[in-house]
Amino acid sequence: MDRLPPILPEELDSNQLAVHNEQIEFASTYFKDLFQWQRSDGALIGLFPTMLRTPEVARGYMNIIKAVAAIPGISFSAREASVLIIAARYEASFALYSHIEIGKKSGLSEEQVALLAVGKKPKDLTPDQDIAVDVTNELLDDRKLSQGTWERALDTFGEVGVVAMVQFVGLYIFVDLHFSAFQVPLPEGVHLKQAS
């Protein structure tokens, strides 16, 4: 059951409609056709309907995601490895559905994506993917970084990169908390296949 169902464009107030249009531009730019983020009637799905309830937050969220993703030093695949671990931990089906596809596009193999999507760490990750997963798991488990993980992350990402990595984990905890709390469903007819 979708606790906050999609809203048809004609039902949005002017502030929501402006954000709806910004969300379409955001999704068209970053997600393209990797997964379904809009229904045929124009209503947005996934995280977008929850964020339309608070347009000011939605606008800020999109800006901070773009800003953190643009910080150099963390590869696309390392970020996606982190996102998949968080989505698995939060049992956020829509996040898993969308980021399984994004993860494959990032350069992660199908096998790596399948393991990350059930919260397991593949053995064949690159050094930056490996430390991204370790940072993510420590922040989820302990809410802090051990000295050893801090030093590895610093060596791999640099100081600004470690700050960005922690911000990125925090942002996706925020996202997946929404998916879980509001029980955001998968698009109609979509089923997740996961490794065991």
Side-chain angles (χ1 to χ4, degrees), residues 87-168:
R89 292 286 199 90
Y90 276 82
E91 299 177 3
S93 296
F94 197 97
L96 286 168
Y97 153 70
S98 57
H99 284 278
I100 283 170
E101 297 309 317
I102 296 170
K104 291 176 194 172
K105 178 148 176 71
S106 78
L108 293 167
S109 71
E110 290 216 19
E111 294 79 18
Q112 289 170 327
V113 167
L115 287 169
L116 291 162
V118 293
K120 295 181 181 177
K121 182 179 173 181
K123 296 189 184 321
D124 61 343
L125 295 174
T126 63
D128 69 322
Q129 295 163 355
D130 186 80
I131 188 60
V133 170
D134 288 349
V135 165
T136 302
N137 280 326
E138 280 194 24
L139 290 173
L140 290 169
D141 293 339
D142 305 328
R143 292 164 306 286
K144 61 184 175 184
L145 296 177
S146 67
Q147 188 63 28
T149 300
W150 161 255
E151 290 171 5
R152 284 180 51 226
L154 197 58
D155 288 345
T156 304
F157 301 130
E159 187 176 81
V160 172
V162 178
V163 171
M165 186 73 225
V166 171
Q167 291 168 336
F168 201 77

Side-chain angles (χ1 to χ4, degrees), residues 15-186:
N15 195 21
Q16 289 173 315
L17 185 59
V19 170
H20 168 90
N21 292 335
E22 290 171 33
Q23 289 174 326
I24 288 174
E25 183 180 338
F26 179 86
S28 297
T29 301
Y30 293 97
F31 306 142
K32 299 179 177 51
D33 61 355
L34 287 173
F35 62 92
Q36 183 185 350
W37 46 266
Q38 186 173 31
R39 295 188 322 204
S40 60
D41 62 9
L44 299 174
I45 61 174
L47 181 66
F48 296 125
T50 68
M51 297 299 277
L52 281 172
R53 269 61 178 200
T54 55
E56 307 78 19
V57 174
R59 190 172 278 127
Y61 165 75
M62 287 184 293
N63 288 334
I64 198 165
I65 280 288
K66 289 185 258 185
V68 172
I71 294 172
I74 304 172
S75 71
F76 183 21
S77 62
R79 290 193 313 262
E80 283 305 308
S82 174
V83 170
L84 286 164
I85 289 288
I86 298 165
R89 292 286 199 90
Y90 276 82
E91 299 177 3
S93 296
F94 197 97
L96 286 168
Y97 153 70
S98 57
H99 284 278
I100 283 170
E101 297 309 317
I102 296 170
K104 291 176 194 172
K105 178 148 176 71
S106 78
L108 293 167
S109 71
E110 290 216 19
E111 294 79 18
Q112 289 170 327
V113 167
L115 287 169
L116 291 162
V118 293
K120 295 181 181 177
K121 182 179 173 181
K123 296 189 184 321
D124 61 343
L125 295 174
T126 63
D128 69 322
Q129 295 163 355
D130 186 80
I131 188 60
V133 170
D134 288 349
V135 165
T136 302
N137 280 326
E138 280 194 24
L139 290 173
L140 290 169
D141 293 339
D142 305 328
R143 292 164 306 286
K144 61 184 175 184
L145 296 177
S146 67
Q147 188 63 28
T149 300
W150 161 255
E151 290 171 5
R152 284 180 51 226
L154 197 58
D155 288 345
T156 304
F157 301 130
E159 187 176 81
V160 172
V162 178
V163 171
M165 186 73 225
V166 171
Q167 291 168 336
F168 201 77
V169 170
L171 286 169
Y172 274 90
I173 289 171
F174 170 84
V175 168
D176 290 343
L177 190 59
H178 280 78
F179 281 127
S180 296
F182 304 123
Q183 298 180 0
V184 176
L186 293 170

